[in-house]
Amino acid sequence: MKDFIKNYFKLSILMSLIFLIFGILLFINPEGVIVTISVIIGIIGMIFGLFEIIFYFKSMSHTALISGVFSLIAGVVLVTNTNILATIIPMIIGIGMVLKGVKKLELAASFKEQNIDNWSYVLIGAILGLLCGIFFIANPIMGAVVTTQIIGLLIIIYAIISIIDNIIFNKNVKKIANIIE
């Protein structure tokens, strides 16, 4: 059991190091990661599209043909215009944030009318949400970069904590093996 636990911890540290490297890449080169993801999704879309078109010729399913052509075109667009993914997603997020911000403004006004304590916190949250949403809509590429960097930073923090946990666990393999057995 002790050998199994040691091997498990080695694998866990390896995974943590991979997460750490990925997080660092996201943080220092978010544009490159976004381009890579766009190309990968595009290639997958093209492959799926080709399979759907082949399936059409075997089954004469018009749905397969439509899906295949759409997937193939979308895949080509993502591979040849890698910024489109980085533009669309932040805009959708921004629109959602603006809509949520407007709803929170209404809620803050309602709370104020009803003399509910701390209504100003809801108002501050609404304003921050609106500003963030407008930022994402006005600067979708920058929004994608910032979001990617934040995700990268969170992954770095997670990986460091995981490595520390694994070092602590590795120092206590005997105790852990006794607990499990």
PDB file of all heavy atoms in Angstrom, residues 114-141:
ATOM      1  N   GLN A 114     -37.486  50.315  -0.160  1.00  0.00           N
ATOM      2  CA  GLN A 114     -38.016  49.504   0.936  1.00  0.00           C
ATOM      3  C   GLN A 114     -37.208  49.680   2.226  1.00  0.00           C
ATOM      4  O   GLN A 114     -37.455  48.988   3.210  1.00  0.00           O
ATOM      5  CB  GLN A 114     -38.040  48.024   0.543  1.00  0.00           C
ATOM      6  CG  GLN A 114     -38.882  47.708  -0.665  1.00  0.00           C
ATOM      7  CD  GLN A 114     -40.343  48.043  -0.458  1.00  0.00           C
ATOM      8  OE1 GLN A 114     -40.893  47.795   0.613  1.00  0.00           O
ATOM      9  NE2 GLN A 114     -40.963  48.626  -1.471  1.00  0.00           N
ATOM     10  N   ASN A 115     -36.234  50.593   2.189  1.00  0.00           N
ATOM     11  CA  ASN A 115     -35.364  50.849   3.339  1.00  0.00           C
ATOM     12  C   ASN A 115     -34.636  49.598   3.833  1.00  0.00           C
ATOM     13  O   ASN A 115     -34.482  49.383   5.032  1.00  0.00           O
ATOM     14  CB  ASN A 115     -36.142  51.491   4.494  1.00  0.00           C
ATOM     15  CG  ASN A 115     -36.630  52.873   4.145  1.00  0.00           C
ATOM     16  OD1 ASN A 115     -35.927  53.637   3.489  1.00  0.00           O
ATOM     17  ND2 ASN A 115     -37.847  53.197   4.568  1.00  0.00           N
ATOM     18  N   ILE A 116     -34.198  48.795   2.876  1.00  0.00           N
ATOM     19  CA  ILE A 116     -33.434  47.591   3.218  1.00  0.00           C
ATOM     20  C   ILE A 116     -31.978  47.987   3.413  1.00  0.00           C
ATOM     21  O   ILE A 116     -31.391  48.689   2.582  1.00  0.00           O
ATOM     22  CB  ILE A 116     -33.573  46.509   2.121  1.00  0.00           C
ATOM     23  CG1 ILE A 116     -35.034  46.043   2.058  1.00  0.00           C
ATOM     24  CG2 ILE A 116     -32.618  45.348   2.365  1.00  0.00           C
ATOM     25  CD1 ILE A 116     -35.328  45.065   0.959  1.00  0.00           C
ATOM     26  N   ASP A 117     -31.410  47.570   4.551  1.00  0.00           N
ATOM     27  CA  ASP A 117     -30.016  47.897   4.850  1.00  0.00           C
ATOM     28  C   ASP A 117     -29.088  47.352   3.765  1.00  0.00           C
ATOM     29  O   ASP A 117     -29.358  46.325   3.136  1.00  0.00           O
ATOM     30  CB  ASP A 117     -29.601  47.297   6.203  1.00  0.00           C
ATOM     31  CG  ASP A 117     -30.303  47.974   7.376  1.00  0.00           C
ATOM     32  OD1 ASP A 117     -30.748  49.125   7.213  1.00  0.00           O
ATOM     33  OD2 ASP A 117     -30.396  47.344   8.442  1.00  0.00           O
ATOM     34  N   ASN A 118     -27.992  48.031   3.606  1.00  0.00           N
ATOM     35  CA  ASN A 118     -26.916  47.615   2.712  1.00  0.00           C
ATOM     36  C   ASN A 118     -27.310  47.598   1.231  1.00  0.00           C
ATOM     37  O   ASN A 118     -26.683  46.908   0.433  1.00  0.00           O
ATOM     38  CB  ASN A 118     -26.352  46.248   3.124  1.00  0.00           C
ATOM     39  CG  ASN A 118     -25.805  46.260   4.527  1.00  0.00           C
ATOM     40  OD1 ASN A 118     -25.213  47.241   4.958  1.00  0.00           O
ATOM     41  ND2 ASN A 118     -26.020  45.188   5.259  1.00  0.00           N
ATOM     42  N   TRP A 119     -28.341  48.349   0.862  1.00  0.00           N
ATOM     43  CA  TRP A 119     -28.729  48.422  -0.549  1.00  0.00           C
ATOM     44  C   TRP A 119     -27.603  49.001  -1.395  1.00  0.00           C
ATOM     45  O   TRP A 119     -27.475  48.690  -2.578  1.00  0.00           O
ATOM     46  CB  TRP A 119     -30.001  49.252  -0.732  1.00  0.00           C
ATOM     47  CG  TRP A 119     -29.816  50.706  -0.341  1.00  0.00           C
ATOM     48  CD1 TRP A 119     -30.028  51.271   0.875  1.00  0.00           C
ATOM     49  CD2 TRP A 119     -29.326  51.749  -1.187  1.00  0.00           C
ATOM     50  NE1 TRP A 119     -29.704  52.604   0.857  1.00  0.00           N
ATOM     51  CE2 TRP A 119     -29.271  52.933  -0.418  1.00  0.00           C
ATOM     52  CE3 TRP A 119     -28.931  51.811  -2.519  1.00  0.00           C
ATOM     53  CZ2 TRP A 119     -28.839  54.142  -0.926  1.00  0.00           C
ATOM     54  CZ3 TRP A 119     -28.509  53.027  -3.029  1.00  0.00           C
ATOM     55  CH2 TRP A 119     -28.465  54.185  -2.231  1.00  0.00           C
ATOM     56  N   SER A 120     -26.738  49.808  -0.766  1.00  0.00           N
ATOM     57  CA  SER A 120     -25.646  50.437  -1.509  1.00  0.00           C
ATOM     58  C   SER A 120     -24.628  49.408  -2.006  1.00  0.00           C
ATOM     59  O   SER A 120     -23.997  49.608  -3.045  1.00  0.00           O
ATOM     60  CB  SER A 120     -24.945  51.498  -0.649  1.00  0.00           C
ATOM     61  OG  SER A 120     -24.436  50.925   0.533  1.00  0.00           O
ATOM     62  N   TYR A 121     -24.496  48.287  -1.285  1.00  0.00           N
ATOM     63  CA  TYR A 121     -23.590  47.235  -1.751  1.00  0.00           C
ATOM     64  C   TYR A 121     -24.103  46.613  -3.050  1.00  0.00           C
ATOM     65  O   TYR A 121     -23.319  46.290  -3.948  1.00  0.00           O
ATOM     66  CB  TYR A 121     -23.407  46.148  -0.681  1.00  0.00           C
ATOM     67  CG  TYR A 121     -22.679  46.634   0.549  1.00  0.00           C
ATOM     68  CD1 TYR A 121     -23.281  46.589   1.797  1.00  0.00           C
ATOM     69  CD2 TYR A 121     -21.391  47.144   0.465  1.00  0.00           C
ATOM     70  CE1 TYR A 121     -22.623  47.035   2.926  1.00  0.00           C
ATOM     71  CE2 TYR A 121     -20.726  47.597   1.582  1.00  0.00           C
ATOM     72  CZ  TYR A 121     -21.342  47.541   2.816  1.00  0.00           C
ATOM     73  OH  TYR A 121     -20.683  47.992   3.925  1.00  0.00           O
ATOM     74  N   VAL A 122     -25.399  46.458  -3.129  1.00  0.00           N
ATOM     75  CA  VAL A 122     -26.000  45.929  -4.356  1.00  0.00           C
ATOM     76  C   VAL A 122     -25.783  46.934  -5.491  1.00  0.00           C
ATOM     77  O   VAL A 122     -25.466  46.549  -6.620  1.00  0.00           O
ATOM     78  CB  VAL A 122     -27.510  45.629  -4.154  1.00  0.00           C
ATOM     79  CG1 VAL A 122     -28.141  45.150  -5.449  1.00  0.00           C
ATOM     80  CG2 VAL A 122     -27.710  44.610  -3.043  1.00  0.00           C
ATOM     81  N   LEU A 123     -25.915  48.223  -5.181  1.00  0.00           N
ATOM     82  CA  LEU A 123     -25.698  49.270  -6.177  1.00  0.00           C
ATOM     83  C   LEU A 123     -24.242  49.249  -6.669  1.00  0.00           C
ATOM     84  O   LEU A 123     -23.993  49.322  -7.873  1.00  0.00           O
ATOM     85  CB  LEU A 123     -26.039  50.647  -5.595  1.00  0.00           C
ATOM     86  CG  LEU A 123     -25.797  51.839  -6.516  1.00  0.00           C
ATOM     87  CD1 LEU A 123     -26.721  51.774  -7.727  1.00  0.00           C
ATOM     88  CD2 LEU A 123     -25.991  53.139  -5.756  1.00  0.00           C
ATOM     89  N   ILE A 124     -23.303  49.126  -5.756  1.00  0.00           N
ATOM     90  CA  ILE A 124     -21.883  49.078  -6.137  1.00  0.00           C
ATOM     91  C   ILE A 124     -21.613  47.859  -7.017  1.00  0.00           C
ATOM     92  O   ILE A 124     -20.937  47.948  -8.041  1.00  0.00           O
ATOM     93  CB  ILE A 124     -20.984  49.068  -4.875  1.00  0.00           C
ATOM     94  CG1 ILE A 124     -21.069  50.427  -4.168  1.00  0.00           C
ATOM     95  CG2 ILE A 124     -19.534  48.728  -5.238  1.00  0.00           C
ATOM     96  CD1 ILE A 124     -20.442  50.451  -2.778  1.00  0.00           C
ATOM     97  N   GLY A 125     -22.181  46.723  -6.634  1.00  0.00           N
ATOM     98  CA  GLY A 125     -22.027  45.513  -7.446  1.00  0.00           C
ATOM     99  C   GLY A 125     -22.617  45.684  -8.830  1.00  0.00           C
ATOM    100  O   GLY A 125     -22.040  45.234  -9.829  1.00  0.00           O
ATOM    101  N   ALA A 126     -23.758  46.354  -8.909  1.00  0.00           N
ATOM    102  CA  ALA A 126     -24.406  46.589 -10.194  1.00  0.00           C
ATOM    103  C   ALA A 126     -23.535  47.471 -11.082  1.00  0.00           C
ATOM    104  O   ALA A 126     -23.343  47.186 -12.272  1.00  0.00           O
ATOM    105  CB  ALA A 126     -25.773  47.245  -9.981  1.00  0.00           C
ATOM    106  N   ILE A 127     -22.994  48.532 -10.501  1.00  0.00           N
ATOM    107  CA  ILE A 127     -22.152  49.449 -11.271  1.00  0.00           C
ATOM    108  C   ILE A 127     -20.881  48.744 -11.740  1.00  0.00           C
ATOM    109  O   ILE A 127     -20.481  48.877 -12.907  1.00  0.00           O
ATOM    110  CB  ILE A 127     -21.829  50.712 -10.441  1.00  0.00           C
ATOM    111  CG1 ILE A 127     -23.113  51.531 -10.225  1.00  0.00           C
ATOM    112  CG2 ILE A 127     -20.750  51.548 -11.117  1.00  0.00           C
ATOM    113  CD1 ILE A 127     -22.987  52.651  -9.215  1.00  0.00           C
ATOM    114  N   LEU A 128     -20.255  47.974 -10.855  1.00  0.00           N
ATOM    115  CA  LEU A 128     -19.053  47.229 -11.247  1.00  0.00           C
ATOM    116  C   LEU A 128     -19.360  46.220 -12.358  1.00  0.00           C
ATOM    117  O   LEU A 128     -18.591  46.066 -13.306  1.00  0.00           O
ATOM    118  CB  LEU A 128     -18.440  46.520 -10.044  1.00  0.00           C
ATOM    119  CG  LEU A 128     -17.754  47.420  -9.016  1.00  0.00           C
ATOM    120  CD1 LEU A 128     -17.325  46.605  -7.796  1.00  0.00           C
ATOM    121  CD2 LEU A 128     -16.566  48.129  -9.629  1.00  0.00           C
ATOM    122  N   GLY A 129     -20.501  45.538 -12.236  1.00  0.00           N
ATOM    123  CA  GLY A 129     -20.913  44.590 -13.268  1.00  0.00           C
ATOM    124  C   GLY A 129     -21.142  45.276 -14.605  1.00  0.00           C
ATOM    125  O   GLY A 129     -20.720  44.768 -15.657  1.00  0.00           O
ATOM    126  N   LEU A 130     -21.802  46.423 -14.564  1.00  0.00           N
ATOM    127  CA  LEU A 130     -22.028  47.183 -15.800  1.00  0.00           C
ATOM    128  C   LEU A 130     -20.704  47.616 -16.428  1.00  0.00           C
ATOM    129  O   LEU A 130     -20.510  47.474 -17.641  1.00  0.00           O
ATOM    130  CB  LEU A 130     -22.892  48.415 -15.514  1.00  0.00           C
ATOM    131  CG  LEU A 130     -24.382  48.176 -15.373  1.00  0.00           C
ATOM    132  CD1 LEU A 130     -25.075  49.414 -14.818  1.00  0.00           C
ATOM    133  CD2 LEU A 130     -24.986  47.793 -16.709  1.00  0.00           C
ATOM    134  N   LEU A 131     -19.807  48.141 -15.610  1.00  0.00           N
ATOM    135  CA  LEU A 131     -18.515  48.592 -16.131  1.00  0.00           C
ATOM    136  C   LEU A 131     -17.709  47.442 -16.729  1.00  0.00           C
ATOM    137  O   LEU A 131     -17.127  47.568 -17.813  1.00  0.00           O
ATOM    138  CB  LEU A 131     -17.711  49.299 -15.029  1.00  0.00           C
ATOM    139  CG  LEU A 131     -18.267  50.651 -14.558  1.00  0.00           C
ATOM    140  CD1 LEU A 131     -17.469  51.170 -13.373  1.00  0.00           C
ATOM    141  CD2 LEU A 131     -18.283  51.648 -15.695  1.00  0.00           C
ATOM    142  N   CYS A 132     -17.692  46.310 -16.034  1.00  0.00           N
ATOM    143  CA  CYS A 132     -16.976  45.136 -16.560  1.00  0.00           C
ATOM    144  C   CYS A 132     -17.611  44.662 -17.866  1.00  0.00           C
ATOM    145  O   CYS A 132     -16.906  44.335 -18.830  1.00  0.00           O
ATOM    146  CB  CYS A 132     -16.967  44.005 -15.539  1.00  0.00           C
ATOM    147  SG  CYS A 132     -15.873  44.292 -14.147  1.00  0.00           S
ATOM    148  N   GLY A 133     -18.935  44.620 -17.889  1.00  0.00           N
ATOM    149  CA  GLY A 133     -19.638  44.194 -19.100  1.00  0.00           C
ATOM    150  C   GLY A 133     -19.354  45.108 -20.277  1.00  0.00           C
ATOM    151  O   GLY A 133     -19.089  44.648 -21.398  1.00  0.00           O
ATOM    152  N   ILE A 134     -19.381  46.408 -20.027  1.00  0.00           N
ATOM    153  CA  ILE A 134     -19.079  47.373 -21.087  1.00  0.00           C
ATOM    154  C   ILE A 134     -17.640  47.203 -21.552  1.00  0.00           C
ATOM    155  O   ILE A 134     -17.350  47.261 -22.760  1.00  0.00           O
ATOM    156  CB  ILE A 134     -19.357  48.813 -20.594  1.00  0.00           C
ATOM    157  CG1 ILE A 134     -20.869  49.003 -20.416  1.00  0.00           C
ATOM    158  CG2 ILE A 134     -18.787  49.847 -21.552  1.00  0.00           C
ATOM    159  CD1 ILE A 134     -21.254  50.254 -19.656  1.00  0.00           C
ATOM    160  N   PHE A 135     -16.721  46.962 -20.618  1.00  0.00           N
ATOM    161  CA  PHE A 135     -15.322  46.722 -20.974  1.00  0.00           C
ATOM    162  C   PHE A 135     -15.206  45.514 -21.902  1.00  0.00           C
ATOM    163  O   PHE A 135     -14.520  45.565 -22.924  1.00  0.00           O
ATOM    164  CB  PHE A 135     -14.472  46.512 -19.712  1.00  0.00           C
ATOM    165  CG  PHE A 135     -13.075  46.048 -20.003  1.00  0.00           C
ATOM    166  CD1 PHE A 135     -12.113  46.944 -20.448  1.00  0.00           C
ATOM    167  CD2 PHE A 135     -12.718  44.717 -19.841  1.00  0.00           C
ATOM    168  CE1 PHE A 135     -10.816  46.520 -20.729  1.00  0.00           C
ATOM    169  CE2 PHE A 135     -11.436  44.277 -20.118  1.00  0.00           C
ATOM    170  CZ  PHE A 135     -10.483  45.183 -20.567  1.00  0.00           C
ATOM    171  N   PHE A 136     -15.881  44.415 -21.564  1.00  0.00           N
ATOM    172  CA  PHE A 136     -15.815  43.203 -22.382  1.00  0.00           C
ATOM    173  C   PHE A 136     -16.400  43.440 -23.771  1.00  0.00           C
ATOM    174  O   PHE A 136     -15.882  42.934 -24.764  1.00  0.00           O
ATOM    175  CB  PHE A 136     -16.542  42.039 -21.702  1.00  0.00           C
ATOM    176  CG  PHE A 136     -15.688  41.262 -20.754  1.00  0.00           C
ATOM    177  CD1 PHE A 136     -15.600  41.630 -19.425  1.00  0.00           C
ATOM    178  CD2 PHE A 136     -14.976  40.159 -21.172  1.00  0.00           C
ATOM    179  CE1 PHE A 136     -14.816  40.917 -18.542  1.00  0.00           C
ATOM    180  CE2 PHE A 136     -14.193  39.432 -20.305  1.00  0.00           C
ATOM    181  CZ  PHE A 136     -14.098  39.819 -18.976  1.00  0.00           C
ATOM    182  N   ILE A 137     -17.495  44.200 -23.846  1.00  0.00           N
ATOM    183  CA  ILE A 137     -18.124  44.470 -25.139  1.00  0.00           C
ATOM    184  C   ILE A 137     -17.244  45.398 -25.978  1.00  0.00           C
ATOM    185  O   ILE A 137     -17.059  45.171 -27.175  1.00  0.00           O
ATOM    186  CB  ILE A 137     -19.533  45.070 -24.948  1.00  0.00           C
ATOM    187  CG1 ILE A 137     -20.468  44.026 -24.311  1.00  0.00           C
ATOM    188  CG2 ILE A 137     -20.104  45.557 -26.272  1.00  0.00           C
ATOM    189  CD1 ILE A 137     -21.775  44.597 -23.805  1.00  0.00           C
ATOM    190  N   ALA A 138     -16.710  46.442 -25.354  1.00  0.00           N
ATOM    191  CA  ALA A 138     -15.909  47.422 -26.084  1.00  0.00           C
ATOM    192  C   ALA A 138     -14.521  46.899 -26.455  1.00  0.00           C
ATOM    193  O   ALA A 138     -13.952  47.311 -27.469  1.00  0.00           O
ATOM    194  CB  ALA A 138     -15.779  48.701 -25.254  1.00  0.00           C
ATOM    195  N   ASN A 139     -13.981  46.015 -25.646  1.00  0.00           N
ATOM    196  CA  ASN A 139     -12.622  45.483 -25.855  1.00  0.00           C
ATOM    197  C   ASN A 139     -12.624  43.962 -25.742  1.00  0.00           C
ATOM    198  O   ASN A 139     -12.018  43.414 -24.824  1.00  0.00           O
ATOM    199  CB  ASN A 139     -11.653  46.053 -24.807  1.00  0.00           C
ATOM    200  CG  ASN A 139     -11.626  47.554 -24.800  1.00  0.00           C
ATOM    201  OD1 ASN A 139     -11.267  48.149 -25.789  1.00  0.00           O
ATOM    202  ND2 ASN A 139     -12.006  48.160 -23.686  1.00  0.00           N
ATOM    203  N   PRO A 140     -13.278  43.264 -26.656  1.00  0.00           N
ATOM    204  CA  PRO A 140     -13.392  41.809 -26.485  1.00  0.00           C
ATOM    205  C   PRO A 140     -12.055  41.074 -26.474  1.00  0.00           C
ATOM    206  O   PRO A 140     -11.882  40.144 -25.698  1.00  0.00           O
ATOM    207  CB  PRO A 140     -14.259  41.372 -27.670  1.00  0.00           C
ATOM    208  CG  PRO A 140     -14.194  42.493 -28.639  1.00  0.00           C
ATOM    209  CD  PRO A 140     -13.936  43.741 -27.861  1.00  0.00           C
ATOM    210  N   ILE A 141     -11.116  41.506 -27.297  1.00  0.00           N
ATOM    211  CA  ILE A 141      -9.816  40.827 -27.324  1.00  0.00           C
ATOM    212  C   ILE A 141      -9.105  41.029 -25.986  1.00  0.00           C
ATOM    213  O   ILE A 141      -8.605  40.081 -25.380  1.00  0.00           O
ATOM    214  CB  ILE A 141      -8.933  41.346 -28.484  1.00  0.00           C
ATOM    215  CG1 ILE A 141      -9.608  41.107 -29.833  1.00  0.00           C
ATOM    216  CG2 ILE A 141      -7.551  40.712 -28.443  1.00  0.00           C
ATOM    217  CD1 ILE A 141      -9.725  39.667 -30.239  1.00  0.00           C
TER     218      ILE A 141
END
